């Protein structure tokens, strides 16, 4: 079956003459490379992770995220019967989708024992995280168009995070959110640089990934990592629209919902630097599990935090009243698209960071 040219536009039923369609064209790089990531994931099937298994698991993930249109799209191409190795991945896919902070190295050992290769595990994690991203794009775009939104917004609270004082390898672990620079260690071996071809090493270098264990782990499927990186750049490093500081704020909010201390440290630091609102960012980081994330913030940031947090729940729960509140704070359609895409992208990023490794405090 041929792939659609723009699956999100098709499933979100975006009028090609609408302000939203024009905003997505303004963010052409993000649109192009999100579609490119989809194309790779669902054209790239091999014996290690066949396409029927990819569609089958993607349909499950879309269902857990309450996106029936996306679920039906994947179900059309999925086989009902799956090899035991694919069935063994269901528990991992569910954990990654619903509560990624609960992942442990043992989850990856189970996959390896079921016959998954290192490359296959990375591709599996990318697929589940990507469908989580797609699901939030759709939820956000529907709410922006006045469709499928919840009527009443319930204040979203901070999720739980790791409380172990040591990492799996014995390094000093983090038990609180911080703007400090942290390390991150993988639970699977990163691919050694010498095992990449000269052209592959050039691709890693182009994006600054050469010396990162995280990115050299994801580079076990390098074409997919390249599309993901270009999607990231298309969302966060573009002119106009939502100020960059508030895109970074959204990334921090998602990380608080999901309990991703590493992602929050990077993006809270950027939000502080760009906004000059260090006290407000630190207040967000300090919110305890179960406490409301937007408490004590300015009206504009309360609106941004509330919407971003609601979009980060599983399933996502953005409301039409939240969209209205954002517009009342001066956000136009391009601003709102930037907020949706920044939030959705960290549904993808957090799920990889939390399920393939963990942060540590450098000595």
């Amino acid at each position: 079956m041929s792939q659609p040219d723009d699956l999100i536009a098709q499933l979100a039923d975006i009028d090609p003459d609408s302000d939203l369609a024009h905003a997505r064209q303004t963010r052409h790089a993000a649109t192009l490379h999100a579609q490119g990531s989809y194309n790779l994931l669902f054209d790239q099937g091999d014996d290690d992770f066949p396409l029927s298994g990819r569609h089958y698991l993607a349909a499950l993930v879309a269902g857990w995220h309450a996106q029936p249109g996306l679920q039906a799209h994947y179900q059309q191409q999925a086989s009902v019967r799956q090899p035991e190795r694919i069935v063994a991945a269901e528990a991992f896919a569910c954990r990654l989708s619903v509560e990624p902070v609960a992942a442990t190295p043992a989850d990856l050992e189970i996959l390896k024992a079921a016959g998954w290769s290192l490359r296959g595990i990375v591709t599996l994690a990318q697929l589940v995280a990507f469908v989580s991203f797609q699901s939030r794009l759709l939820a956000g775009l529907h709410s922006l168009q006045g469709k499928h939104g919840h009527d009443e917004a319930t204040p979203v609270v901070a999720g739980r995070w790791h409380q172990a004082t040591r990492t799996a390898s014995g390094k000093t672990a983090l038990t609180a959110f911080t703007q400090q620079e942290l390390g991150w260690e993988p639970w699977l071996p990163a691919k050694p640089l010498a095992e990449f071809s000269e052209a592959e090493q050039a691709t890693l270098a182009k994006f600054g990934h050469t010396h990162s264990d995280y990115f050299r782990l994801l580079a076990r499927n390098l074409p997919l990592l390249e599309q993901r990186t270009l999607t990231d750049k298309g969302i966060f490093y573009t002119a106009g629209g939502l100020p960059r500081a508030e895109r970074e704020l959204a990334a921090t909010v998602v990380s608080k919902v999901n309990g991703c201390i590493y992602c929050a440290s990077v993006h809270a630091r950027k939000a502080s630097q760009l906004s000059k609102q260090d006290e407000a960012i630190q207040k967000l980081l300090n919110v305890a599990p179960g406490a409301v994330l937007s408490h004590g913030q300015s009206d504009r940031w309360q609106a941004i935090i509330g919407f971003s947090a609601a979009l980060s729940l599983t399933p996502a729960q953005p409301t039409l009243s939240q969209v209205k509140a954002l517009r009342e704070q001066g956000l136009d359609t391009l601003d709102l698209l930037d907020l949706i895409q920044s939030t959705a992208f960290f549904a993808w990023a957090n799920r990889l960071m939390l399920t393939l490794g963990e942060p540590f405090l450098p000595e």
Side-chain angles (χ1 to χ4, degrees), residues 251-267:
T252 307
V253 172
V254 184
S255 301
K256 282 290 292 185
V257 173
N258 290 325
C260 189
I261 289 175
Y262 184 88
C263 289
S265 73
V266 173
H267 297 280

Side-chain angles (χ1 to χ4, degrees), residues 312-327:
S312 302
L313 295 173
T314 303
Q317 297 178 28
T319 70
L320 305 184
S321 62
Q322 287 174 326
V323 173
K324 180 182 178 185
L326 288 164
R327 289 199 180 277

Side-chain angles (χ1 to χ4, degrees), residues 140-149 320 323:
L141 294 174
H142 281 139
S143 67
L144 188 51
Q145 297 176 92
K147 306 172 185 175
H148 310 312
L320 305 184
V323 173

Side-chain angles (χ1 to χ4, degrees), residues 190-191 193 196 200-219 222 224-230 232-233:
K191 187 173 179 177
L193 189 60
F196 291 96
E200 290 171 335
Q201 289 188 30
T203 298
L204 290 172
K206 178 173 68 174
F207 295 119
H209 294 342
T210 302
H211 302 295
S212 165
D213 283 345
Y214 173 64
F215 287 114
R216 282 190 292 104
L217 174 57
L218 295 184
L222 183 57
L224 184 55
L225 171 60
E226 183 173 15
Q227 286 299 312
R228 180 189 177 277
T229 302
L230 291 168
D232 180 0
K233 290 184 179 298

